[in-house]
């Protein structure tokens, strides 16, 4: 959003002066100022109330996750010989023999 420079501000004030007249313009300025002031008070009160509610309510308790893992030693018979995985599964182009 571009900033309003002094030239644009002067044009806006001149248009307002022509539309509302020199007697009504100070009253409009006062009412606009009081409206902005009331709006700020309202938003400040709402902001303080919201921040106060965040401070009063405790956050959720942290959850601790425990992961159990079983430790099982490998079982190998004393007279068994290890078998490679290639010997157990047939290749894709070989058909099983019956």
């Amino acid at each position: 959003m571009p900033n309003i420079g002094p030239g644009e501000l002067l044009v806006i004030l001149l248009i307002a002066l022509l539309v509302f007249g020199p007697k009504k313009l100070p009253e409009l300025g006062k009412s606009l100022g009081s409206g902005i002031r009331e709006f700020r008070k309202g938003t400040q009160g709402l902001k303080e109330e919201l921040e106060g509610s965040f401070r009063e309510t405790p956050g959720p308790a942290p959850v601790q996750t425990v992961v159990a893992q079983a430790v099982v030693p490998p079982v190998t018979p004393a007279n068994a010989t290890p078998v490679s995985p290639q010997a157990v599964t047939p290749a894709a182009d070989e058909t099983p023999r019956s």
Side-chain angles (χ1 to χ4, degrees):
M1 180 175 195
N3 293 332
I4 297 176
E8 290 92 1
L9 189 60
L10 184 64
V11 170
I12 292 171
L13 289 176
L14 285 174
I15 292 173
L17 183 64
L18 290 174
V19 171
F20 296 111
K23 292 182 182 176
K24 193 73 171 176
L25 200 57
E27 294 174 19
L28 288 173
K30 286 179 185 177
S31 64
L32 181 65
S34 65
I36 291 173
R37 195 176 311 115
E38 288 296 320
F39 179 75
R40 284 184 182 173
K41 284 181 185 177
T43 55
Q44 183 65 27
L46 182 64
K47 181 181 174 184
E48 288 173 358
E49 182 180 327
L50 184 63
E51 287 176 353
S53 68
F54 281 138
R55 281 188 228 123
E56 291 174 2
T57 56
V63 178
Q64 183 177 5
T65 305
V66 178
V67 179
Q69 294 179 345
V71 178
V72 180
V75 179
T76 55
N79 60 356
T81 58
V83 179
S84 68
Q86 295 168 350
V88 175
T89 56
D93 56 330
E94 291 182 10
T95 57
R97 298 178 188 160
S98 17

